[in-house]
Amino acid sequence: MSEHDTPRDDAPAWGSDAPEKSVLNIGFMALSDSASVVVAATQGFAEKYGLSLRLHRQMSWAGLRDRLLSGELDAAHSLYGLIYGVQLGLGGAPATDMAVLMGLNQNGQSINLSHSLQAAGVTNGEALRQHAHQHEARLTFAQTFPTGTHAMWLYYWLASQGIHPLRDVDSVVVPPPQMIEHLEAQRIDGFCVGEPWTAKAVDEQLGCTVTTIQAIWPDHPEKVLGCTRAFVEQNPNTARALIMAVLDAARFIDDNEENKRSTAQLLSGSEYVNAPVSAITPRFLGQYQDGLGHTWQDEHPLRFHAGGLVNQPYLSDAMWFMTQFRRWGLLRSDPDYLGIARQVQQLALYRQAASALGIAVPAEMRSSTLQDGTCWDGSDPVAYARSFHLHALADSPAAAL
């Protein structure tokens, strides 16, 4: 995108320019972290900004991606890594210029192990490492999309436990709502997915939650509001209005417990997540049980706004996913990490939308310390991608892609 294509910081705020397109088709997956998009579409927030949002639940992330690229969907609740995978030409779709309008949530994902592993005493990383290296039968773990967040979280955690995710175990792609079925049928030994599916597996005694992803990276980036860059270039006022509608909805959800509970009730409906509210509400509120007798109030619960800290499309968050693509051999060489992030992350549009709503805009980069003690701040992505003991840097891109 040239500088003339990028919305200027001093462009008129909402009210000066009407949306170029007022009726939008918005994709989402049956996950708790679709909440701000669902609330924006159904609770009057979109109408405040001249929009009507038509929600379309998708059966898989691949299907959602394909409909975004075809224009059938204007924007979507999306995996961070899906947007960047398409940008870089990974994952089976042609390279297409993409856009991240805002972050939708932080936290709220977990890794679960099967009942059979739990019964065998494999309930922590060390026991899993021993099992993976001592048994001839390879374990199979499910994630939701080859370049998606769940694949990267799963690979990161397994590697931190001394298990090479591409050599020591098998990995398969399973859409989020189908995880329970695959676990119950013993087709997989564990999975990484968003809520409410990990909570539901625990509730149905199908195994245990071995770690939350926020335990690996507190307040980690998760879903984003994504679209093609062509949509933004053709409809900048619409894109800004959409950000404002979802931002307003996110602020509403996080405002108090009553709003969180009512949102969880809404999401449980058959047209949205289609899961028991008893599986959605507790982890929505940060209340966890792991199936091993432990319960706790999580210090880093699923959150949608946090005064805007969740929603800024941080450059460093985007770059982290690209470092993991490089680490695991999905990229043969280092991309222009910062340059690509600046193209995809719609910082100027987000800043306009947030400022119009009186929401503080944090810095474009943030620093985080992960569970293994590594610090990520985006300052040296090339070195960071090479800093891990377990990796696949010398490998060609995975054939499965």
Side-chain angles (χ1 to χ4, degrees):
M1 182 187 293
S2 72
E3 63 181 4
H4 301 294
D5 295 322
T6 306
R8 292 165 31 226
D9 287 344
D10 60 351
W14 168 256
S16 302
D17 294 327
E20 299 88 354
K21 186 175 183 179
S22 60
V23 179
L24 300 180
N25 293 309
I26 306 295
F28 75 100
M29 289 288 283
L31 292 161
S32 297
D33 52 32
S34 67
S36 55
V37 171
V38 173
V39 168
T42 64
Q43 304 303 306
F45 290 96
E47 286 78 2
K48 290 169 60 177
Y49 305 104
L51 299 177
S52 175
L53 306 184
R54 295 176 176 170
L55 293 176
H56 299 270
R57 187 172 64 187
Q58 303 299 297
M59 298 303 294
S60 70
W61 288 115
L64 181 147
R65 173 203 62 196
D66 293 346
R67 291 178 180 89
L68 265 184
L69 296 182
S70 71
E72 186 177 338
L73 296 174
D74 295 300
H77 157 250
S78 181
L79 296 162
Y80 230 125
L82 182 153
I83 297 296
Y84 275 86
V86 173
Q87 178 72 31
L88 294 163
L90 307 174
T96 304
D97 287 335
M98 301 297 288
V100 167
L101 300 178
M102 61 182 285
L104 291 180
N105 72 289
Q106 294 173 344
N107 310 320
Q109 324 292 306
S110 299
I111 296 174
N112 275 30
L113 300 180
S114 67
H115 177 73
S116 60
L117 283 177
Q118 181 180 344
V122 180
T123 58
N124 57 55
E126 172 58 22
L128 185 65
R129 184 192 65 79
Q130 293 181 14
H131 186 94
H133 290 299
Q134 292 174 0
H135 289 72
E136 291 185 8
R138 288 166 66 90
L139 297 174
T140 299
F141 287 88
Q143 34 82 10
T144 64
F145 191 74
T147 63
T149 48
H150 302 109
M152 298 304 107
W153 305 139
L154 178 64
Y155 294 179
Y156 195 98
W157 183 76
L158 288 172
S160 74
Q161 306 304 310
I163 302 168
H164 197 295
L166 305 181
R167 297 171 186 156
D168 297 334
V169 297
D170 292 327
S171 176
V172 296
V173 173
V174 175
Q178 296 179 26
M179 290 290 187
I180 299 289
E181 173 190 338
H182 278 68
L183 196 66
E184 193 167 21
Q186 300 182 9
R187 290 191 286 267
I188 58 176
D189 300 292
F191 60 67
C192 182
V193 74
E195 298 300 351
W197 308 114
T198 57
K200 192 169 187 288
V202 169
D203 290 347
E204 295 183 6
Q205 298 183 333
L206 295 174
C208 60
T209 294
V210 69
T211 186
T212 65
I213 307 307
Q214 57 263 31
I216 301 169
W217 180 350
D219 299 331
H220 65 84
E222 191 47 49
K223 304 302 187 301
V224 295
L225 185 60
C227 59
T228 63
R229 205 174 325 156
F231 176 82
V232 175
E233 292 172 351
Q234 295 162 15
N235 307 282
N237 296 339
T238 302
R240 183 170 57 246
L242 178 59
I243 296 170
M244 293 177 73
V246 178
L247 258 180
D248 219 353
R251 180 165 58 181
F252 166 83
I253 296 168
D254 270 10
D255 187 56
N256 57 61
E257 183 175 321
E258 181 181 352
N259 291 356
K260 292 177 183 178
R261 288 184 178 277
S262 65
T263 300
Q265 184 70 51
L266 171 67
L267 288 177
S268 71
S270 59
E271 64 270 50
Y272 304 123
V273 176
N274 192 26
V277 70
S278 59
I280 299 175
T281 301
R283 293 193 180 186
F284 214 88
L285 299 175
Q287 300 165 357
Y288 277 75
Q289 58 168 331
D290 61 4
L292 298 169
H294 307 127
T295 61
W296 70 96
Q297 183 70 38
D298 205 290
E299 295 180 4
H300 301 278
L302 175 63
R303 61 183 193 171
F304 298 94
H305 184 58
L309 292 175
V310 171
N311 309 117
Q312 165 78 315
Y314 299 97
L315 295 173
S316 52
D317 286 359
M319 292 161 66
W320 187 87
F321 288 104
M322 288 187 277
T323 69
Q324 300 307 294
F325 295 167
R326 180 73 180 109
R327 175 187 182 183
W328 298 120
L330 303 177
L331 291 169
R332 283 192 175 92
S333 59
D334 289 291
D336 178 3
Y337 292 99
L338 183 58
I340 293 172
R342 286 196 179 281
Q343 291 174 1
V344 177
Q345 309 292 86
Q346 300 300 300
L347 289 163
L349 263 184
Y350 177 79
R351 191 157 45 241
Q352 293 163 21
S355 297
L357 292 175
I359 294 169
V361 179
E364 297 175 353
M365 307 279 266
R366 64 180 183 133
S367 177
S368 305
T369 300
L370 279 68
Q371 184 182 45
D372 56 10
T374 60
C375 179
W376 169 247
D377 60 10
S379 62
D380 192 349
V382 174
Y384 182 81
R386 288 168 169 72
S387 68
F388 299 96
H389 174 64
L390 293 184
H391 58 80
L393 284 167
D395 295 349
S396 298
L401 297 180

